[in-house]
Amino acid sequence: SCNKFFGFAESCFGNAMTDDLHDLMQSPQRSSFFKTVHDVTRKMCADCEYLPICKGGCYYVSFAAQPTLGEIKGREQFCKGYYLVFDHIINHLKGEAQ
């Protein structure tokens, strides 16, 4: 989780001042959060050729844009734009390489 999630209970893995780092890294909250991220990425991005580049995008943007704040249900709103940019850059590079 990144610092953009600060203040959201769903992304709180514990307290760095009182909890052991190992315990934080193994916490059920952390596992659940990253399972959700992984499941959404697998569902929404599995066939996308640019997944290795964008890694599923920014999950905070997806998280903050949902009608029910605090849920990650889909890709971020900029996904299609990123795809077009990546496609343009790669096509340009392929043209330059020939």
Side-chain angles (χ1 to χ4, degrees):
S1 182
C2 74
N3 66 342
K4 291 180 182 177
F5 285 95
F6 180 75
F8 292 100
E10 299 86 351
S11 66
C12 180
F13 307 147
N15 184 332
M17 297 297 289
T18 60
D19 298 329
D20 181 69
L21 180 58
H22 180 267
D23 293 340
L24 293 175
M25 297 302 288
Q26 301 300 321
S27 72
Q29 296 91 338
R30 183 176 185 273
S31 296
S32 175
F33 179 81
F34 283 107
K35 181 184 181 319
T36 299
V37 167
H38 179 266
D39 290 349
V40 168
T41 301
R42 191 180 74 235
K43 178 181 172 187
M44 303 298 293
C45 308
D47 297 329
C48 180
E49 63 188 299
Y50 300 123
L51 179 59
I53 298 170
C54 79
K55 308 289 189 220
C58 174
Y59 289 96
Y60 177 76
V61 172
S62 174
F63 178 88
Q66 296 303 316
T68 304
L69 186 65
E71 295 181 4
I72 300 174
K73 292 185 176 179
R75 294 177 289 206
E76 66 167 279
Q77 61 192 8
F78 305 115
C79 179
K80 189 169 187 162
Y82 293 147
Y83 187 92
L84 293 172
V85 170
F86 296 148
D87 203 42
H88 176 78
I89 291 169
I90 288 176
N91 286 334
H92 177 75
L93 291 173
K94 285 179 180 176
E96 293 290 322
Q98 294 178 359

